[in-house]
Amino acid sequence: AGLAFANQKQYWSDFMKLMNSDFLVDRRNGLRINVTESEIADATRGQANKPRAAINYLLKKGFLVTQIMDSFAIASGGSTFYRNRIKDLMKKDPDMKLGEAEAQAFREFRELAEESQQSSRPDRISQQQASGAGRVILAFANTPMQYNRIIKKATLDLINGRGDYKTNLSKIVYCGTHSVIPKSLDKS
């Protein structure tokens, strides 16, 4: 990751490619990509009650910064993964064309991002997230719970010999570190 970041011209090119990808544009456009925000907005849209309409407007505006920072974080962290994965794919298969490697690396980037970020995909939402209480409570405490699920899965994969040892260990260290660091100290 350090070497990929050191090549600043390539890093920022990859960053902009990911930032402007359909995947991240969809996360920023509208509120449909995030279940909690979408349902809050849908509940207030088209209401004759003006205060409710104002709340709808404020919610959309209030989440705008969060949406942009969400995309920025995913693209900035994903850029090094994306570039290293392209290189790895082409190294493993010298006959692979650059476009094929980029497409495969992007699919893997997206899958990893959806695993570690809040998603509205039905196969990515837990029963707790789908419950009425979960929609309210987890809007404020979802990230640590997601990290704990990732840690649990990576630990079980490590114990049972599934997947790549280095990848599973990296997930455990990254998520474990970020789930216990107080937000006031976490500058990443």
Side-chain angles (χ1 to χ4, degrees):
L3 290 174
F5 182 73
N7 183 347
Q8 284 288 286
K9 184 175 180 179
Q10 184 65 60
Y11 174 83
W12 290 111
S13 173
D14 290 341
F15 172 87
M16 290 309 298
K17 183 174 186 163
L18 297 179
M19 191 73 164
N20 293 320
S21 69
D22 289 344
F23 168 58
L24 290 182
V25 168
D26 285 347
R27 284 184 71 92
R28 289 190 304 272
N29 284 344
L31 301 176
R32 295 236 171 261
I33 197 70
N34 185 312
V35 174
T36 303
E37 297 168 23
S38 174
E39 291 177 3
I40 292 170
D42 285 345
T44 59
R45 184 178 293 115
Q47 298 292 321
N49 185 326
K50 297 302 179 193
R52 235 184 217 173
I55 290 170
N56 181 27
Y57 177 77
L58 292 173
L59 283 173
K60 285 182 183 178
K61 293 298 180 190
F63 284 117
L64 180 61
V65 173
T66 302
Q67 291 169 339
I68 292 168
M69 293 312 295
D70 172 70
S71 288
F72 185 90
I74 293 169
S76 62
S79 296
T80 55
F81 169 84
Y82 175 72
R83 182 54 42 193
N84 286 334
R85 190 64 185 128
I86 291 168
K87 289 179 180 179
D88 185 52
L89 288 166
M90 293 183 78
K91 183 179 176 182
K92 287 180 180 174
D93 183 0
D95 295 329
M96 183 177 270
K97 295 191 182 342
L98 178 61
E100 294 170 344
E102 288 175 340
Q104 178 64 31
F106 183 81
R107 282 191 298 273
E108 292 179 25
F109 152 75
R110 182 178 179 153
E111 192 62 32
L112 283 171
E114 287 182 340
E115 178 181 329
S116 61
Q117 302 297 321
Q118 189 169 356
S119 175
S120 62
R121 281 180 40 188
D123 62 326
R124 296 274 184 207
I125 297 175
S126 68
Q127 289 179 338
Q128 291 86 3
Q129 287 173 297
S131 72
R135 292 168 203 256
V136 175
I137 295 167
L138 296 180
F140 303 100
N142 197 37
T143 303
M145 292 182 72
Q146 285 177 303
Y147 282 159
N148 287 332
R149 284 193 295 274
I150 292 168
I151 291 169
K152 179 182 175 185
K153 183 180 182 304
T155 302
L156 291 173
D157 287 349
L158 201 56
I159 290 168
N160 294 313
R162 292 185 297 253
D164 177 58
Y165 173 83
K166 197 171 20 172
T167 300
N168 286 324
L169 194 57
S170 295
K171 287 178 182 181
I172 294 167
V173 170
Y174 177 85
C175 293
T177 302
H178 283 79
S179 67
V180 296
I181 295 175
K183 292 300 175 198
S184 60
L185 300 176
D186 184 12
K187 303 295 183 201
S188 63

